[in-house]
Amino acid sequence: SADVEFPQNGAIANTNIGRLNNTTFLLSSIGTYLITVNVPVPEAGQLVLTLNGAELPYTVFGRATGTSDIAGTAIVTTDTANSTLTVRNPAANTTALTITPTAGGTLPSSTHLTIVQLA
């Protein structure tokens, strides 16, 4: 299962949260984080958050039908400094997902990952 790419930065208000590459984000401080994800995918599917490469089963979100974005929200707590976070198609799902960067028109549509440190 490949990690979802988030190739552009939005506003960054907390230096404890950073980008390692297009798919992996660094949570440098031990803490609790609110994570929201919004990914344009044209087929049924699921996504899951990973922490340090391990899928977090309580963070699986998806949809059975339709053409709306796959979106979800979760609270993740880290117990080690410099933890990494990704979003991916769960390993148990064998069907690849199609990310549609131009969903609904010719302009790029945004794929969002928001990370807010709560504590």
Side-chain angles (χ1 to χ4, degrees):
S1 296
D3 293 325
V4 174
E5 290 189 17
F6 298 90
Q8 297 182 21
N9 281 335
I12 298 173
N14 184 332
T15 58
N16 291 330
I17 302 166
R19 170 193 295 281
L20 294 177
N21 56 45
N22 283 351
T23 62
T24 307
F25 296 83
L26 180 68
L27 309 177
S28 60
S29 295
I30 294 172
T32 301
Y33 297 83
L34 175 67
I35 315 294
T36 61
V37 179
N38 188 15
V39 180
V41 177
E43 61 268 329
Q46 294 180 320
L47 294 171
V48 65
L49 300 178
T50 71
L51 187 63
N52 298 321
E55 291 183 5
L56 301 174
Y58 71 92
T59 68
V60 174
F61 48 93
R63 65 158 202 277
T65 61
T67 57
S68 61
D69 294 355
I70 295 178
T73 300
I75 293 177
V76 173
T77 299
T78 63
D79 57 8
T80 59
N82 297 319
S83 293
T84 58
L85 180 88
T86 67
V87 179
R88 74 172 54 142
N89 188 9
N93 295 351
T94 57
T95 303
L97 296 175
T98 307
I99 310 259
T100 53
T102 56
T106 58
L107 298 175
S109 118
S110 58
T111 299
H112 291 150
L113 172 65
T114 304
I115 305 170
V116 177
Q117 187 171 1
L118 300 175

